[in-house]
Amino acid sequence: MKRKVSALLILMVGVSLVGIQAVFALATDISATIACTGWINGTGTVEWTRANTTTGVENLYYLAVDGAGNVILNVSDNRPVGSNAVLSPSYPWDSAPQFNPITLTLISPAGNGEPEQRHLVAFGDCAGLSTYRAPAGRPDLQVAGPPATNLYDGRINNSQTKDVAAPVAIYCTREDTIAIFRIDPVTSKGTRIINHPRGDEPAAENQLLASAEGVSLFLLSTGEYQVNAPNFEFNLYSITWEGCDPSTLVHLSPQ
């Protein structure tokens, strides 16, 4: 259960951001340092730009977990779109971490047509704690190191285990389109090659909605979207998902 914020963010400033039409809506430059009792050296400003509720309010929350996945902080801060605030220089964990590493993430949940977005605030260790090791026979539970922060920008294909080197990045935009960016394997920069309006109705047969540079966007008869793209390491990168919900993501190739 999330608890309501107290002094997590300070210095409320009335700045209007309603006119911003960025594809990636969560605007923040915050960072902090991991300590055993909480975060320290917090800096930067959070900007509420996404109306992920129907009341013109953005729901944000901070989630910190230790190396074993134990939740040590879960605190929310909901404010009107157009607000901003400076991150508190320090803030305590709800409970003591048991294992390293510790990850602190700012999350703007999906809602009101907005997809979920995440921002990695801090990643580090508490001196004196051991690094979590998976139980025997469960290597899938092993912590593999710091998360790929580029996957926290609101994209649909955001799996930390399967999309770190994906050849495309796929987004639902504020203009109600599906935007597909081709990722340059050398520079890691994305170029938008498809921007297809949402709202197509599924038919009895799968439909090709758009294609460019070898990347194809389909609407399946099931109502799911599918993207096929040439992959850097495999012959084909292929995924399906529903609507704008990353939790429905299925990797067809590679599996």
Side-chain angles (χ1 to χ4, degrees), residues 5 14 30 51 63 82 97 101 108 128 130 160 178 185 214 229 231 250:
V5 68
I30 62 172
L63 179 68
S108 178
S130 60
Q160 288 286 334
I178 296 174
N231 203 341
V250 175

Side-chain angles (χ1 to χ4, degrees), residues 74-93:
N74 195 348
V75 57
S76 64
D77 194 357
N78 308 327
R79 306 195 188 196
V81 171
S83 306
N84 65 31
V86 176
L87 184 69
S88 173
S90 62
Y91 199 80
W93 306 134

Side-chain angles (χ1 to χ4, degrees), residues 41-220:
N41 303 324
T43 184
T45 303
V46 177
E47 300 175 347
W48 282 257
T49 66
R50 294 158 32 91
N52 58 3
T53 70
T54 58
T55 58
V57 169
E58 180 173 11
N59 173 27
L60 295 177
Y61 68 97
Y62 286 80
L63 179 68
V65 296
D66 70 5
N70 300 310
V71 175
I72 59 175
L73 179 71
N74 195 348
V75 57
S76 64
D77 194 357
N78 308 327
R79 306 195 188 196
V81 171
S83 306
N84 65 31
V86 176
L87 184 69
S88 173
S90 62
Y91 199 80
W93 306 134
D94 286 336
S95 57
Q98 303 300 310
F99 296 94
N100 287 322
I102 298 168
T103 304
L104 172 64
T105 307
L106 171 63
I107 302 173
S108 178
N112 196 32
E114 296 279 8
E116 179 183 276
Q117 284 198 304
R118 295 182 173 225
H119 174 82
L120 181 67
V121 179
F123 179 87
D125 291 340
C126 167
L129 291 184
S130 60
T131 298
Y132 180 73
R133 294 285 181 258
R138 293 300 306 276
D140 56 304
L141 298 180
Q142 180 61 55
V143 175
T149 58
N150 63 302
L151 300 180
Y152 287 166
D153 63 0
R155 67 186 67 187
I156 297 294
N157 53 331
N158 61 6
S159 169
Q160 288 286 334
T161 59
K162 298 181 179 180
D163 291 320
V164 173
V168 292
I170 304 164
Y171 303 87
C172 286
T173 73
R174 284 187 169 185
E175 292 75 27
D176 207 23
T177 66
I178 296 174
I180 302 178
F181 289 73
R182 191 78 166 88
I183 307 300
D184 187 299
V186 177
T187 65
S188 297
K189 293 183 178 180
T191 301
R192 187 164 64 180
I193 58 173
I194 292 175
N195 192 39
H196 183 79
R198 296 185 64 239
D200 297 275
E201 292 294 330
E205 297 183 354
N206 301 336
Q207 306 170 60
L208 175 63
L209 301 180
S211 63
E213 299 185 18
V215 178
S216 300
L217 171 65
F218 297 89
L219 179 63
L220 305 183

